[in-house]
Amino acid sequence: MRLFEFNKKIGVVGMYHSGKTVFLTSLINHLSRHDPGRFPLGRGDVLLGNFKHRQAEEDWQEFDYEGYRSSLQVSRRWPQKSLLGGQYRCSLTRSDWPNTVLNLTFLDLAGERLADMPMAGYDYSTWSERMINLFSTGPEYGPYVSGFLNLLESSPDLEGAEEKITEEFRRALARCCLAYLPVISPSSLLLGPEGDYVRTGEVEAMVAQRAVGLDSGSQFAPLDRAWQEARPDLVREFSRRYGQYRKKVVMPLAHWLAGCHELVVLLDLTGLFAGGLGAYHGALHLVESLLDWVDPGRGFLGRLFSFFLKPLTGGRLVLPGITRIAFVAAKADKVHADDRQKLLILLRDMVAARMNGLQEDLKLRVKYFICSSVKSTASLQDGFLEGRPAFGHGRESVLSKFKPSVLPSSWPPDWPAGEYNFPDVLPQMPARRDLAPSHIGLNAVADFLLADDDWTE
C-alpha cells in the first residue's frame, strides 16, 4: 500500500513546430512501458511501474496519445500538430520510492498561443505599446510591417479607420508569419479560438480568410499613443474586444501554466538558425514573455510552508509556483553527433542570462538539455547523416545520406534566413509496436522532471 501521493503539474511549451507533441508522446510511451535499459533513470536501476492513465480535467481536451503514437508507428509520419491545449494525466510508481504514488498532469500548449501570453498580464493599451515598439524597433520586422505603421501615421480622422487598421494589421502579421517571425499576436490569425488552423500560405488569402480576434466582427489591432489620444471611441471598442479574446483564449492557458510546478521549454535551435536572426529574436521574446507571466520560483516562506504541507496532507496539497524549468534543445538528431554538444552551449548562451537572477535567489532549479524524442538519423563519417527525407505528398522517401550545416560554436552577430540548412526527416520507429522509440537524452529530461524536491513539491 502506498501511503503518499506526489503531485506534479508539468507544462510543455515552445514555439510552433518545436516538437512538443512528439516530445510528450515519446515520454508517455517510455513512462508507460518503462525499460531501464533503453530509458535509464536515477543511477540506472530505477524501475517505473503501475502506470495508469487518468481522464483529463473538466474543460480540457484529452491529449491524443494513442492517435499520435499510431501516426509515428503505423503511418511513419510525424503526428499532426495539436491545435488546442491537450492534457494528459497518469499515475505511476518508482521502485526507489516504495511508499509513494506519483500523479502527473501534462499540458501540451499549442506553440502559436505562446505569443499571446503577454496579454495575460497587460491591458489593451500596454499590449498595444509593446506591439508597436516591437514593430518599430525590431529591424527584422520593418519590411513586413511598414504598411501598418505608415497607416498609423495618417490622420486619426481617416474614414473607415477600424476596417482599414485591422486589415493592414492582418497583412502585417501574415507577412511576419511567412518570414518565420514567431511573434504573431493575436494568434487567431494562425489558430482560431475553436482550433481551426490557417490553410493558406498566401498573404492576401490570410488577410481575407483569417481574423485578429474571436471572429471577423470582434477584431482588434494595436494603436500608438497618438491614435489612442485622438480616438478614445476606437480605443474603447478595441479594448472591449481585446478583453473578450483575452478572457476566452488566453487566460485559461495562462492560469494553468502559472499553477504548474514545472515547465519544459522546447526550442528548436536548428529552426532558429534556418530562420535567421529574426527567428532568434522572436524566440527570445517569447521565452521572456512566458517567464514574465509565470513568475517562476518561490520565496523562502512559500518553500517553508510547502515543506510542512506536503507530509501533513500526504502530498495532496502544495503551494502553486514553478520550481523547475527544463530548457531543451529539441530535434538534436537533425545535427551531426560531433556537433551536438554545441547545441547545449548555444542553448545556455541564449537563455541562461535571463535565469541567473532567479537561480541566485535559490528559488528555482534550471537545467539545460539536448534531446531528440524520436531519434530518426544516424551520424556517419565526414559530417553526414542518414535518414529518410521528409518530402511532400506523392514522393516516396528512402534511406539517404545528406550533410546538414555545421553549427557555429557561438551565436553569430547576424545571419540571414537560409544560410543554415538542417533537412527534415521522417520518424524512425522500431518494428515492434510495444517498443518505445529510440531517443537522445529524453531520459535525462524525465529524470529532472520526476525528481523529488521536499522543499517545493
Side-chain angles (χ1 to χ4, degrees):
M1 178 180 176
R2 305 273 172 164
L3 300 178
F4 301 106
E5 291 186 359
F6 192 16
N7 304 305
K8 281 182 179 282
K9 288 185 175 182
I10 303 172
V12 181
V13 301
M15 293 167 54
Y16 49 89
H17 303 306
S18 61
K20 300 178 299 299
T21 299
V22 177
F23 173 89
L24 188 49
T25 299
S26 183
L27 178 59
I28 294 168
N29 200 169
H30 280 283
L31 296 180
S32 61
R33 295 184 176 274
H34 185 229
D35 179 350
R38 294 169 58 83
F39 203 76
L41 297 172
R43 298 177 180 177
D45 57 350
V46 173
L47 181 64
L48 304 181
N50 299 308
F51 184 92
K52 294 180 181 178
H53 172 234
R54 301 155 61 207
Q55 292 296 314
E57 295 171 329
E58 188 177 356
D59 297 330
W60 285 103
Q61 176 174 296
E62 185 79 35
F63 180 80
D64 186 16
Y65 164 71
E66 294 295 342
Y68 299 141
R69 179 66 170 74
S70 177
S71 180
L72 291 168
Q73 177 70 57
V74 179
S75 302
R76 299 302 172 102
R77 297 282 175 180
W78 299 113
Q80 294 290 323
K81 67 185 282 39
S82 52
L83 298 180
L84 296 173
Q87 189 185 82
Y88 190 90
R89 304 174 70 223
C90 63
S91 62
L92 51 84
T93 58
R94 297 175 52 130
S95 59
D96 56 339
W97 299 354
N99 298 314
T100 303
V101 173
L102 185 57
N103 297 319
L104 303 176
T105 303
F106 295 97
L107 179 66
D108 171 29
L109 174 65
E112 290 79 2
R113 296 293 190 233
L114 196 57
D116 287 337
M117 283 301 106
M119 291 184 180
Y122 300 129
D123 61 14
Y124 168 75
S125 293
T126 305
W127 173 79
S128 286
E129 182 179 330
R130 286 175 62 93
M131 290 295 293
I132 296 296
N133 183 65
L134 177 69
F135 284 176
S136 58
T137 62
E140 60 271 15
Y141 285 87
Y144 310 108
V145 302
S146 58
F148 176 69
L149 295 180
N150 289 340
L151 182 60
L152 293 184
E153 292 293 328
S154 61
S155 169
D157 295 328
L158 177 69
E159 185 177 352
E162 176 186 322
E163 182 178 347
K164 290 178 180 178
I165 286 175
T166 54
E167 178 181 329
E168 198 57 48
F169 183 49
R170 294 198 301 277
R171 186 170 289 112
L173 291 184
R175 289 170 174 164
C176 288
C177 172
L178 298 181
Y180 304 103
L181 298 175
V183 184
I184 310 299
S185 179
S187 61
S188 55
L189 184 88
L190 302 176
L191 178 61
E194 305 302 329
D196 55 306
Y197 201 74
V198 62
R199 297 183 179 275
T200 177
E202 299 291 334
V203 169
E204 292 308 315
M206 293 174 72
V207 172
Q209 298 171 14
R210 306 300 297 181
V212 281
L214 291 180
D215 52 48
S216 60
S218 303
Q219 299 187 86
F220 58 91
L223 294 174
D224 62 20
R225 185 163 298 179
W227 272 79
Q228 291 192 40
E229 292 176 353
R231 291 295 303 272
D233 58 324
L234 193 55
V235 171
R236 283 194 297 270
E237 184 59 25
F238 278 178
S239 180
R240 183 183 68 82
R241 297 173 183 180
Y242 172 90
Q244 291 174 335
Y245 182 87
R246 180 178 179 271
K247 180 179 180 180
K248 179 174 180 178
V249 176
V250 180
M251 294 312 298
L253 296 176
H255 283 315
W256 201 96
L257 282 177
C260 283
H261 304 114
E262 301 176 346
L263 277 185
V264 180
V265 183
L266 294 174
L267 293 168
D268 175 14
L269 302 193
T270 64
L272 301 187
F273 274 106
L277 185 61
Y280 172 89
H281 283 157
L284 195 58
H285 176 85
L286 293 181
V287 170
E288 291 176 344
S289 297
L290 171 69
L291 295 175
D292 284 343
W293 166 249
V294 300
D295 192 20
R298 185 183 296 141
F300 174 76
L301 289 178
R303 293 156 63 86
L304 185 63
F305 284 136
S306 283
F307 175 76
F308 289 110
L309 281 172
K310 180 181 174 182
L312 290 174
T313 64
R316 291 181 176 83
L317 182 58
V318 294
L319 294 181
I322 292 171
T323 57
R324 290 175 182 264
I325 300 183
F327 286 101
V328 180
K331 304 184 182 181
D333 59 341
K334 295 176 68 174
V335 172
H336 192 274
D338 294 342
D339 252 7
R340 286 175 192 154
Q341 195 60 29
K342 294 179 184 177
L343 281 174
L344 193 60
I345 296 171
L346 291 163
L347 179 64
R348 287 179 179 273
D349 287 349
M350 182 178 179
V351 299
R354 175 64 174 80
M355 306 308 299
N356 287 340
L358 294 169
Q359 291 175 269
E360 288 172 1
D361 292 338
L362 302 178
K363 296 179 181 179
L364 187 66
R365 286 173 172 82
V366 177
K367 200 164 183 179
Y368 304 88
F369 302 89
I370 60 172
C371 176
S372 177
S373 308
V374 178
K375 183 176 179 291
S376 299
T377 68
S379 293
L380 308 177
Q381 292 182 343
D382 300 324
F384 281 89
L385 294 178
E386 186 176 59
R388 297 184 182 275
F391 298 130
H393 294 296
R395 294 185 62 186
E396 182 179 358
S397 179
V398 297
L399 202 62
S400 307
K401 290 173 55 177
F402 55 91
K403 197 167 188 176
S405 296
V406 175
L407 283 174
S409 298
S410 60
W411 292 100
D414 191 9
W415 72 99
E419 180 174 327
Y420 294 90
N421 182 37
F422 300 94
D424 292 327
V425 294
L426 296 178
Q428 299 299 300
M429 295 288 288
R432 269 181 50 194
R433 295 190 179 182
D434 63 338
L435 199 61
S438 297
H439 63 92
I440 299 172
L442 184 62
N443 63 307
V445 183
D447 223 10
F448 178 71
L449 297 176
L450 302 184
D452 192 3
D453 185 348
D454 286 335
W455 285 98
T456 58
E457 288 137 353

